[in-house]
Amino acid sequence: MEYNLLYSVYSLPNIVLPFVGGYLLDYFGIKFGVILYNGLICVGQLLFCLGCHLGNYSLLILGRAVFGIGAESLNVAQSTIVNKWFLNKELSTALGISLCICRLGSSLNSYLSPIFFQEYRSTSLVSLIGLIWVLISFFCGLALIYMDNKYLKNETVENNETVSCKDFKKLNPSFWMLYANGILCFLSFFSFLNIANKYLQLRFQFSSTTAGGLLTIPYVTAGILTPIISNCVDRKGKKASLLIISCSLLAFIHFFFAAIPNCNQCNSSLVPLVLYGIFFALYTSLLISSVSIITD
C-alpha cells in the first residue's frame, strides 16, 4: 500500500496540473517553463534522496509529488518546443523520436535499478544516481534554451495571443473526449508497469533482477517502433481509427495477462510485454499530434 502510494502521489495531481503547467507556458513562455519544471524535478528527487537516507516516508511522498508536478509539466513544455520547431514539418515523427528517447531512458531505469540495489543494497545510493541524472537533465534544458535562442531567434513562431483562463471554455468536446481517453489508457498502462516487477515474480517466478530486465521489453519495443509508426501516421493519417485500434489492443493485452496460467518463467508471459510496447508506440504517436489538430 505504501509503495503504491508513491506512484499515486506522482500521478493523481497530474490529472489536472498539466493544464496549469500549460497555462504558465503560454503566459510566461517556454524557456521559463523549462527552467521551472526541471528545477521542480531536481528538488523532488533531492527530497526523495533525503527521505531514503533518513528513512522518512513523509519526505518520500513529498519528493514524489514535487517530482511528478515538474516531470509531467515538463512533458508539456517538451511537446510545445517540438511543435514550435517542427510546425507543419512531420510533427508526428518528431514527437515520436522525442518519446522514443524517453522510453529508452525508462527501459534503462527498469533494468539498472534492480541491479544497483542487488549490488549495493542501498535505496539511498540508487536514488542518488537518479539525482545525478536529473541534474544532467537540468543542464540539458539550459542547453536547449541556448539552442532555441541561437537558431530560432529570427523565427516568427511565437504565439502572440492573450492567454486567459476563459480559453478553457473554448475547447471543443473532441478535446475533452481525447483527454478522458488519455487518462484511462495511461492509467491502465502505467499502473500495471509500476507493479509489474512484483507481478512477474509472483505469477511467473522470475527473480527481481530478471523481471526488471524483462520490463525493458515494452520500452525498447516502443522506442524502436515509435519513429516508424509516427512517420506512417504523418503520411497516411486515419488517426481516429488508429486510436480505436490502439485502445482495443490495450484491452486485449490485459485480457491476455489474465488468461495466462501461472507458470515457471514461461515464454508466453513475454508476449503481452511486447504487445505493450506496440500499444505505447502507436498510442503516443497518435495522442499528442491529435491534440494539436483538435485545438488548432
Side-chain angles (χ1 to χ4, degrees):
M1 182 68 178
E2 291 181 342
Y3 177 77
N4 287 336
L5 185 59
L6 293 173
Y7 288 99
S8 297
V9 297
Y10 175 100
S11 301
L12 288 177
N14 287 302
I15 296 174
V16 176
L17 285 178
F19 275 114
V20 180
Y23 179 81
L24 291 175
L25 285 176
D26 285 335
Y27 195 84
F28 292 104
I30 298 173
K31 296 157 193 172
F32 169 84
V34 169
I35 295 174
L36 174 63
Y37 301 141
N38 267 302
L40 286 173
I41 291 172
C42 292
V43 171
Q45 185 65 21
L46 177 60
L47 291 172
F48 189 84
C49 286
L50 290 174
C52 290
H53 181 68
L54 300 174
N56 189 318
Y57 184 70
S58 297
L59 270 179
L60 295 179
I61 292 292
L62 179 61
R64 286 291 293 173
V66 174
F67 188 97
I69 293 169
E72 296 306 315
S73 296
L74 183 62
N75 286 337
V76 177
Q78 290 172 335
S79 298
T80 304
I81 291 171
V82 173
N83 273 278
K84 173 184 175 182
W85 286 11
F86 293 91
L87 186 65
N88 300 321
K89 295 176 288 188
E90 299 183 334
L91 178 59
S92 293
T93 303
L95 289 168
I97 293 173
S98 175
L99 289 166
C100 168
I101 302 300
C102 294
R103 291 313 105 207
L104 291 177
S106 298
S107 68
L108 282 175
N109 175 65
S110 296
Y111 178 68
L112 294 177
S113 293
I115 293 177
F116 285 135
F117 182 75
Q118 289 287 340
E119 180 69 23
Y120 300 106
R121 292 292 175 179
S122 171
T123 54
S124 299
L125 179 61
V126 176
S127 61
L128 180 61
I129 293 172
L131 178 60
I132 293 171
W133 280 108
V134 297
L135 288 173
I136 293 172
S137 174
F138 181 82
F139 288 108
C140 288
L142 296 179
L144 181 65
I145 293 172
Y146 169 78
M147 292 171 62
D148 190 75
N149 288 333
K150 181 176 181 180
Y151 297 109
L152 292 182
K153 61 182 179 181
N154 296 322
E155 297 286 339
T156 57
V157 292
E158 293 289 345
N159 184 6
N160 295 319
E161 294 181 4
T162 301
V163 180
S164 170
C165 291
K166 295 179 181 179
D167 291 338
F168 288 114
K169 297 179 181 179
K170 300 177 183 178
L171 296 172
N172 60 45
S174 297
F175 171 82
W176 294 110
M177 290 175 64
L178 189 64
Y179 182 68
N181 181 268
I183 291 175
L184 294 173
C185 286
F186 284 143
L187 176 68
S188 175
F189 179 80
F190 288 111
S191 295
F192 175 78
L193 287 184
N194 288 341
I195 54 92
N197 191 299
K198 195 67 175 178
Y199 181 87
L200 293 175
Q201 292 178 58
L202 294 176
R203 286 206 57 198
F204 307 115
Q205 284 73 59
F206 291 107
S207 68
S208 175
T209 304
T210 302
L214 293 176
L215 289 178
T216 65
I217 292 175
Y219 295 124
V220 171
T221 303
I224 294 171
L225 293 181
T226 299
I228 300 171
I229 294 176
S230 298
N231 185 261
C232 292
V233 169
D234 274 328
R235 290 187 290 105
K236 301 295 184 181
K238 301 188 181 296
K239 294 182 180 180
S241 299
L242 290 173
L243 271 174
I244 295 173
I245 292 172
S246 63
C247 294
S248 301
L249 176 60
L250 181 61
F252 172 77
I253 293 167
H254 284 286
F255 174 79
F256 199 134
F257 255 129
I260 299 174
N262 293 352
C263 57
N264 185 15
Q265 301 186 12
C266 52
N267 293 331
S268 58
S269 62
L270 307 182
V271 175
L273 296 176
V274 176
L275 294 177
Y276 256 128
I278 296 172
F279 156 76
F280 194 75
L282 177 60
Y283 189 75
T284 52
S285 298
L286 296 164
L287 183 65
I288 300 177
S289 58
S290 295
V291 171
S292 64
I293 293 173
I294 290 173
T295 58
D296 191 10

